[in-house]
Amino acid sequence: MKSKIYGLILSAGFSSRMDEFKPLASYKNKTFIEHIINKLSTVCDDILIVTGYNNKILEESVRVVYKSDDVLKKIDFVFNPKFQNGMFSSIKTGVKSLLHKMSKSDYVMLHLVDQPHISESVYTVLAERTHDERLDVIIPSYNMKAGHPIVLSRDVIEYVASVPDSDSLRDILKKWREDTTYVVIEDKSIIQDINTPDEVKEYLD
């Protein structure tokens, strides 16, 4: 049976450097979250959006945009009540919500909300690796630098869900170093985050 891929979008932060709510910031005539959903939907069976700050506004916006689109059937939301504690709390909230529906062969594609500009081909390449062979951690790499989105097996997801909140994804990935596959991607966007209005303009050029 073909492995499923669950998209997990981390969209709970305050967007303090952006001067506006980042998930709904505009980039090339669409919001950040739209760009990400559109591309994840081509390779993911379901998409879970972890919300926090402005959660109701974000949910309503997504439902309005996709109200007449089959993509909406793939989308679900989970609120992180500890979103003020940082990104790892959102990762844990998301993976705990996904675990009950994942089989042993399934994966999670973990996506930051500040990367709406990654090329669609990147998602295809990463998804193909999950179907070609059994891997635990798949990370795209540009010029020897690790990027995003990253793909994690169910075994890794179980481990993430079990560790204390004081842990971090960086520390967890170090523990899985020997089981990590790096995929060379000739696309600089995988190592670029958009956190400020100036960076939006920069990546539009």
Side-chain angles (χ1 to χ4, degrees), residues 61-80:
S61 176
V62 170
R63 295 187 194 282
V64 168
V65 169
Y66 295 98
K67 63 182 178 181
S68 59
D69 195 313
D70 284 343
V71 171
L72 186 59
K73 297 176 183 177
K74 290 187 173 186
I75 300 172
D76 202 358
F77 302 88
V78 61
F79 176 70
N80 173 18

Side-chain angles (χ1 to χ4, degrees), residues 123-174:
Y123 301 83
T124 303
V125 170
L126 295 175
E128 286 175 350
R129 294 305 300 268
T130 70
H131 300 314
D132 288 344
E133 54 187 310
R134 185 66 195 159
L135 302 171
D136 279 314
V137 180
I138 306 170
I139 300 178
S141 172
Y142 176 83
N143 280 359
M144 304 295 289
K145 293 182 180 179
H148 286 270
I150 66 174
V151 183
L152 306 173
S153 71
R154 192 185 193 282
D155 287 343
V156 180
I157 291 303
E158 283 184 359
Y159 183 78
V160 171
S162 71
V163 299
D165 291 351
S166 58
D167 214 325
S168 70
L169 183 62
R170 185 187 299 272
D171 290 339
I172 290 169
L173 292 179
K174 287 179 181 177

Side-chain angles (χ1 to χ4, degrees), residues 2-166:
K2 189 176 182 180
S3 300
K4 288 185 177 181
I5 303 175
Y6 294 89
L8 180 60
I9 306 175
L10 305 179
S11 190
F14 286 107
S15 314
S16 55
R17 295 169 57 195
M18 194 67 186
D19 297 334
E20 62 179 311
F21 187 41
K22 191 185 299 180
L24 302 183
S26 179
Y27 177 78
K28 293 187 176 180
N29 301 316
K30 289 185 176 67
T31 63
F32 280 30
I33 198 87
E34 280 181 79
H35 281 288
I36 295 167
I37 289 172
N38 290 346
K39 285 176 278 194
L40 283 178
S41 66
T42 65
V43 298
C44 294
D45 297 88
D46 289 297
I47 298 169
L48 180 65
I49 302 173
V50 182
T51 66
Y53 178 66
N54 278 348
N55 62 306
K56 297 298 184 183
I57 293 172
L58 178 56
E59 286 190 32
E60 180 62 21
S61 176
V62 170
R63 295 187 194 282
V64 168
V65 169
Y66 295 98
K67 63 182 178 181
S68 59
D69 195 313
D70 284 343
V71 171
L72 186 59
K73 297 176 183 177
K74 290 187 173 186
I75 300 172
D76 202 358
F77 302 88
V78 61
F79 176 70
N80 173 18
K82 300 179 181 179
F83 73 91
Q84 295 181 1
N85 293 345
M87 185 177 71
F88 191 64
S89 68
S90 290
I91 294 174
K92 287 197 66 176
T93 297
V95 300
K96 286 180 177 179
S97 182
L98 288 173
L99 266 176
H100 74 280
K101 63 174 71 176
M102 294 178 68
S103 73
K104 291 296 289 184
S105 63
D106 292 343
Y107 289 86
V108 168
M109 186 174 287
L110 183 64
H111 206 298
L112 309 179
V113 79
D114 53 15
Q115 291 185 300
H117 58 313
I118 296 175
S119 301
E120 189 171 323
S121 59
V122 172
Y123 301 83
T124 303
V125 170
L126 295 175
E128 286 175 350
R129 294 305 300 268
T130 70
H131 300 314
D132 288 344
E133 54 187 310
R134 185 66 195 159
L135 302 171
D136 279 314
V137 180
I138 306 170
I139 300 178
S141 172
Y142 176 83
N143 280 359
M144 304 295 289
K145 293 182 180 179
H148 286 270
I150 66 174
V151 183
L152 306 173
S153 71
R154 192 185 193 282
D155 287 343
V156 180
I157 291 303
E158 283 184 359
Y159 183 78
V160 171
S162 71
V163 299
D165 291 351
S166 58

